[in-house]
Amino acid sequence: MRVTWSAGPQLSFRLDPEDEITGKASDEHPIKLAINSCTIGGVPEDAHPDLYAVAAWTVVAPWTRRRITFDRAISAELAEALHDGWGIEAGPVGAERRRPGARLAISYSGGADSVAAATMYPQAPFVHFRRVNHPRVPNRWPHYRSDVLAELAARTGRELSVVTSDLEYTLAEPRPGYPEHHAVAAGALLLADRLDLGGLGFGYEMGSRWLGGGRYLWRFTPDNPMWAPHGRWGRLFAAAGVHIVLPVGGVSEAVTMRLALGSPLREQVRWCLRGTGGPCRVCGKCLYKELIQAAVERRPLDTPVTRDSPVARKWLKKPPYGGQEMIQYGLARVPGIEDTVFGPVLDHFDVTEESTSWLEHCYPPALGEIPERWRAEAASFVEANVGLMTEDEVRRVETWGT
Ligand SMILES: [Zn+2]
């Protein structure tokens, strides 16, 4: 793989003979390349070469097999992280490594998880990734309202950098998206020098970090390659002086929902990518989040989705489901759930409030993963607003999927 950055900054890349058009992201999802260029706007034209290298890697990793050649020298430490993590030869080498900056920014999407992470660090600036069209790829997804999400982010009153990018259009199928989950951070990486960043906080919660929500569906994942600090991505970001931080990595989506709805940012919470005046209420994500919200608020499900709706079909199938722990949490808590679209799911689980109460507390090792500089603030927030899991509850996490 050969990577070039030009004014814009624009990233272009050329595949080497051993590279492949259909690759695999770190979550094992197969993805097909659509176009070999993208632009990242709202960032300075100059940053440490390791930041350019990691930003590029979040886009080109799935298609790279053996080596990557950057257009500027990287540090030996960064080359080593690429080699250790992916078995990739990276170069040229010749730069001093970047020292971590002093600040933590939040990669802010506006969803409940992201808002909860932001609430734990009231002083942290936001970096918001906004999708824009690619000049050479037709937009067949006009319902995706990135403008609405960016507007909501602007109304939070936080220090905000909006990064605009068409990098999601480098994917051909099944729809535009991040080549790697970490591509959402491409702009934040290029802003890291200007914002003096030493860490970047993501809204990934316990399901994504510890319960294998995604690649390891249904399995405890202490060594999650995407989000563990000692995983390959964690080490790569750290080598560029921007630690991956998961402020809500130890709590479930029930907790992030409760924290987000009780936060000063409550009015700006939005997980639906479709609605303009509010969430659309009829997409699969709205339905899933409504289950969680109803459970947290201990009220009946309020949704226009009926059992005949296409998005309800998923709940006629057998488990496992993505976010299964939250499905169980909702089944145990939402009054009248048997008469809703989730009714059929009850046949597969025997759940009670007691058996799902571990989802209301924080898994302590998640706090231990937060770099020391930012740990105390998270720990005191958790102590005051969530509470730590008991040993018995910790066991529920660590035996998940067995
Ligand atoms: Zn929706």
Side-chain angles (χ1 to χ4, degrees):
M1 186 66 72
R2 284 162 192 279
V3 163
T4 311
W5 288 94
S6 49
Q10 184 180 58
L11 167 68
S12 11
F13 49 99
R14 284 202 349 251
L15 277 61
D16 286 326
E18 72 272 14
D19 294 334
E20 291 169 48
I21 297 285
T22 299
K24 269 189 184 169
S26 289
D27 65 0
E28 296 278 293
H29 194 73
I31 52 175
K32 194 170 165 194
L33 179 64
I35 196 158
N36 65 337
S37 70
C38 58
T39 302
I40 298 174
V43 301
E45 291 281 347
D46 193 38
H48 191 286
D50 286 355
L51 296 171
Y52 277 102
V54 178
W57 187 245
T58 67
V59 177
V60 306
W63 301 294
T64 308
R65 286 293 160 273
R66 281 213 299 274
R67 61 201 153 125
I68 184 162
T69 310
F70 296 105
D71 63 351
R72 58 202 80 186
I74 59 172
S75 72
E77 290 83 358
L78 198 86
E80 195 182 323
L82 282 166
H83 188 264
D84 290 352
W86 287 265
I88 295 286
E89 297 297 334
V93 170
E96 284 286 309
R97 75 176 301 174
R98 177 180 179 270
R99 301 280 159 203
R103 301 173 83 200
L104 173 74
I106 302 290
S107 175
Y108 183 78
S109 70
D113 302 333
S114 171
V115 167
T119 305
M120 290 173 78
Y121 294 101
Q123 307 304 320
F126 290 172
V127 181
H128 177 72
F129 181 100
R130 179 180 170 191
R131 176 192 292 185
V132 294
N133 290 341
H134 194 289
R136 288 186 285 142
V137 182
N139 176 20
R140 292 186 279 124
W141 300 269
H143 56 266
Y144 181 102
R145 297 303 303 263
S146 66
D147 54 329
V148 173
L149 298 178
E151 230 168 80
L152 286 168
R155 274 193 249 142
T156 58
R158 289 282 185 107
E159 177 187 341
L160 171 71
S161 306
V162 175
V163 171
T164 52
S165 183
D166 54 9
L167 70 82
E168 292 173 274
Y169 288 92
T170 56
L171 292 200
E173 289 162 11
R175 61 181 74 85
Y178 304 124
E180 295 279 1
H181 294 289
H182 304 76
V184 70
L189 286 162
L190 298 184
L191 279 160
D193 283 344
R194 182 194 277 176
L195 298 179
D196 190 26
L197 300 187
L200 186 61
F202 296 84
Y204 287 97
E205 39 61 64
M206 181 168 62
S208 300
R209 167 64 189 89
W210 298 97
L211 306 180
R215 177 177 179 179
Y216 303 109
L217 203 64
W218 253 102
R219 191 143 52 82
F220 175 57
T221 55
D223 300 323
N224 185 317
M226 293 181 287
W227 306 116
H230 57 277
R232 58 189 191 175
W233 282 102
R235 293 199 313 257
L236 182 70
F237 272 61
V242 183
H243 291 276
I244 290 179
V245 180
L246 304 186
V248 293
V251 301
S252 73
E253 288 182 86
V255 173
T256 57
M257 177 70 79
R258 178 171 65 75
L259 294 176
L261 296 178
S263 132
L265 304 177
R266 178 190 169 100
E267 295 305 317
Q268 285 88 43
V269 180
R270 180 73 58 84
W271 47 76
C272 177
L273 306 176
R274 293 164 184 259
T276 49
C280 80
R281 305 185 73 226
V282 295
C283 72
K285 194 164 186 188
C286 279
L287 180 62
Y288 174 74
K289 292 288 186 182
E290 166 59 17
L291 176 70
I292 298 170
Q293 189 174 348
V296 167
E297 296 177 347
R298 295 185 166 274
R299 55 161 174 83
L301 201 69
D302 175 16
T303 175
V305 177
T306 64
R307 286 197 187 181
D308 312 321
S309 310
V311 295
R313 253 176 245 151
K314 176 174 172 182
W315 307 111
L316 296 173
K317 293 183 188 152
K318 286 187 181 156
Y321 310 109
Q324 181 153 308
E325 72 281 8
M326 295 322 304
I327 302 301
Q328 295 183 348
Y329 185 86
L331 293 179
R333 282 173 175 71
V334 175
I337 193 74
E338 60 279 4
D339 300 321
T340 71
V341 295
F342 294 103
V345 183
L346 277 172
D347 295 342
H348 308 299
F349 302 115
D350 185 17
V351 289
T352 62
E353 289 197 22
E354 199 279 323
S355 75
T356 54
S357 64
W358 58 286
L359 294 161
E360 295 187 324
H361 303 121
C362 178
Y363 179 58
L367 292 173
E369 289 195 335
I370 297 175
E372 206 181 340
R373 179 181 301 193
W374 299 295
R375 193 182 304 148
E377 195 169 0
S380 63
F381 182 93
V382 163
E383 192 187 339
N385 298 282
V386 184
L388 294 176
M389 288 185 182
T390 62
E391 270 179 44
D392 212 43
E393 291 172 331
V394 164
R395 213 167 303 122
R396 300 299 295 262
V397 175
E398 297 178 353
T399 56
W400 180 249
T402 59

